[in-house]
Amino acid sequence: MSRRPRSQRRRAPLPVRDGVGPSRVRIPRGISEGARDGSGATAHPTVAAYLTARFPADAQRIAEKIAAGEVVDADGAPITAGTPCTPGAEVFYYRDPPREEPVPFALQVLHRDARLLVADKPHFLASMPRGRHIAETALVRLRRSTGIDALAPAHRLDRLTAGVLVFTVDPDARRAYQELFAAGAVRKTYEAVCSAPPSVALPTVLRSRIVKERGVHRAYEMPGAPNAETAVERVPGGERFRVRVRPATGKTHQIRVHLASIGAPVMWDPLYGADPNPGTAADGDAVPQDFSCPLQLLARSLEFTDPFTGARRRFVSERALELW
């Protein structure tokens, strides 16, 4: 059975707490699915046993949270030490936040109404909680500053990319805006400073098949039917080679992969630059972070027809690239 889209899933039984929503864990339905995370569901008689096997580093804290009634099922009922492990069931709890290096750049609000909040995201700030980035994310910062716990992203930007980022304020409007992005009905314009002139004449349209494997840091191009399309044009002036980019699709790292493919990687790109950083983490981080060298890629503007009013809407970043 296929999974329901995020916008159609049942809301979490635990509320947002200090801007952060609860973690959701789905117990695999069968041995084959369970084997992929190393803890087959049929091997564990209780939810507690499954969780401690799946997250061994957090075993003690999980046991403490279960004892305190802080782990619940999809209906909000507390999980106990003896709750049986039911394949397909969902459990929710609050993760202990990791230590995070503060991102020393402000997150600005460009627009806010009853349905939407549009932000101007700085470089290095993740769009939403994932992995070791929880509080230092645009979503959590905005929830805390606005008090809108229902705030949710309509799309995302890479952590290292700055620019226009759209959130929904009204949960009932979320699906309509998310579907605009999923359907490619949003006109996106990016700006970039390249580390070298491209090997092809501009303007051009780049089309290729881009694949991003789970757990692999870099996306890559491979033979096959194109699934990614990016229009690139030169922006005259300045000492550096600058481009305006309009992606027609939204593959992970698409702009960075396509610019690198024509010999013009984005300036200070730790993954696709001339000398990729071998210590780069899975989300595109160079460790330790060098805040003085932000990726020179900016989501300059977004434009779309509002699904509720029919009005044409355009939002523009007020940021400038360091080398612009």
Side-chain angles (χ1 to χ4, degrees):
M1 182 172 61
S2 60
R3 298 177 66 186
R4 288 182 294 174
R6 289 181 183 272
S7 58
Q8 297 179 22
R9 292 180 197 165
R10 190 193 324 194
R11 293 179 185 175
L14 294 175
V16 170
R17 186 170 69 182
D18 194 24
V20 182
S23 292
R24 166 185 171 273
V25 178
R26 179 177 178 273
I27 298 173
R29 289 189 177 278
I31 295 176
S32 60
E33 187 171 355
R36 285 201 294 270
D37 62 28
S39 55
T42 57
H44 305 291
T46 65
V47 172
Y50 172 76
L51 291 176
T52 54
R54 180 167 175 179
F55 307 109
D58 299 327
Q60 180 176 346
R61 285 295 293 137
I62 287 173
E64 292 171 353
K65 290 177 184 292
I66 289 175
E70 297 178 359
V71 182
V72 303
D73 63 18
D75 295 319
I79 297 296
T80 69
T83 300
C85 187
T86 304
E90 296 177 343
V91 295
F92 299 80
Y93 67 98
Y94 297 106
R95 289 174 53 194
D96 291 335
R99 290 186 178 181
E100 299 180 61
E101 183 177 8
V103 175
F105 306 117
L107 172 68
Q108 283 124 2
V109 174
L110 297 173
H111 171 85
R112 177 177 170 181
D113 60 36
R115 296 190 181 97
L116 290 181
L117 185 150
V118 183
D120 204 350
K121 187 183 85 66
H123 294 97
F124 299 102
L125 190 69
S127 295
M128 63 200 78
R130 182 182 179 187
R132 62 189 180 88
H133 304 292
I134 304 297
E136 287 301 302
T137 62
L139 177 61
V140 173
R141 278 196 187 183
L142 288 169
R143 280 176 173 171
R144 290 176 176 178
S145 65
T146 64
I148 306 173
D149 287 346
L151 203 66
H155 66 122
R156 65 180 293 273
L157 290 176
D158 290 341
R159 195 183 70 85
L160 299 186
T161 302
V164 181
L165 186 60
V166 177
F167 296 83
T168 58
V169 174
D170 180 358
D172 292 331
R174 184 174 306 158
R175 180 178 179 182
Y177 288 108
Q178 289 177 334
E179 287 181 345
L180 284 180
F181 286 91
V186 178
R187 180 179 172 84
K188 305 174 185 178
T189 300
Y190 289 72
E191 294 167 358
V193 177
C194 300
S195 60
S199 58
V200 300
L202 300 184
T204 190
V205 176
L206 304 173
R207 298 182 181 88
S208 68
R209 185 167 191 81
I210 294 179
V211 176
K212 175 68 167 65
E213 297 177 0
R214 187 180 183 88
V216 178
H217 300 173
R218 290 161 55 100
Y220 59 92
E221 294 178 295
M222 65 177 297
N227 63 0
E229 178 180 311
T230 307
V232 185
E233 63 182 9
R234 175 77 188 270
V235 177
E239 298 180 359
R240 297 284 182 173
F241 197 93
R242 298 172 291 156
V243 294
R244 182 172 294 111
V245 185
R246 292 189 174 92
T249 52
K251 292 297 179 182
T252 300
H253 297 177
Q254 175 178 319
I255 293 174
R256 297 161 68 182
V257 170
H258 272 166
L259 289 178
S261 75
I262 58 173
V266 178
M267 179 71 71
W268 293 329
D269 191 332
L271 279 178
Y272 305 99
D275 297 302
N277 187 334
T280 299
D283 62 355
D285 301 336
V287 182
Q289 298 182 99
D290 185 351
F291 293 125
S292 68
C293 297
L295 180 75
Q296 293 297 285
L297 181 61
L298 175 68
R300 172 60 71 191
S301 67
L302 289 175
E303 187 174 356
F304 57 87
T305 299
D306 191 282
F308 294 94
T309 67
R312 194 68 180 169
R313 310 188 77 172
R314 185 170 185 262
F315 303 104
V316 182
S317 171
E318 298 176 355
R319 298 184 183 277
L321 292 174
E322 295 293 326
L323 300 175
W324 199 241

